[in-house]
Amino acid sequence: EMMQLQREMNRLFSSVGQKSPQDYPAINIWEKDQRAIVTAELPGIDPDKMDIAVAGDVLTIAASQAGAPLAQGEVYLRQERGTGTFKRDIQLPFAVNAQAVEAKYEKGVLIITLPRVEDDQPKKIKIK
């Protein structure tokens, strides 16, 4: 039983510190002027192959990236940049006005501005 427990502990801790597939792309989110700003690192991906969608308070970023083909006789010595498709769902802190979302792609960084729904914005209550 102790050996089985040791194997299980090794398995659980073997991936500590490694990114899992759902951690791609790396993102930052902050709020400014009743808008959520999301930045995602997506180097080398064609913006036409990106799919951005918003449903309520969930932002979905999906894309595909084909690997650069190697010429005959070439072999990778190291390959750290991923290829293939990914999809990441990001829970936002509030509902978003999907009609007013803006996205731009600059120098490998996707920047998405997500305005908060008017009905979801905090209301100042006047005390009588």
Side-chain angles (χ1 to χ4, degrees):
E1 287 182 16
M2 290 299 288
M3 291 302 291
Q4 183 179 357
L5 178 61
Q6 179 67 41
R7 281 193 297 274
E8 185 64 18
M9 293 297 286
N10 288 341
R11 185 187 66 79
L12 288 172
F13 289 104
S14 66
S15 62
V16 171
Q18 296 177 4
K19 286 190 175 187
S20 60
Q22 69 264 18
D23 291 338
Y24 186 82
I27 62 166
N28 288 337
I29 303 174
W30 66 94
E31 184 178 358
K32 178 182 178 185
D33 301 327
Q34 300 300 320
R35 300 176 186 286
I37 312 295
V38 177
T39 58
E41 294 178 355
L42 296 166
I45 295 181
D46 182 355
D48 293 333
K49 298 198 182 202
M50 293 181 199
D51 184 26
I52 303 165
V54 176
D57 62 350
V58 176
L59 169 67
T60 301
I61 302 172
S64 63
Q65 176 159 343
L70 296 177
Q72 186 175 353
E74 293 179 337
V75 295
Y76 280 110
L77 298 176
R78 180 179 293 224
Q79 184 179 13
E80 295 181 358
R81 292 187 61 195
T83 59
T85 61
F86 71 87
K87 178 180 175 187
R88 182 159 182 196
D89 294 323
I90 302 149
Q91 183 76 43
L92 300 168
F94 48 76
V96 170
N97 178 354
Q99 303 303 317
V101 172
E102 296 177 0
K104 61 183 175 178
Y105 184 68
E106 295 177 353
K107 298 180 181 178
V109 177
L110 178 65
I111 304 162
I112 307 169
T113 305
L114 304 130
R116 190 173 196 160
V117 172
E118 284 289 326
D119 295 341
D120 192 42
Q121 293 185 11
K123 306 283 189 283
K124 179 132 173 112
I125 308 298
K126 185 174 182 176
I127 300 172
K128 298 179 183 178

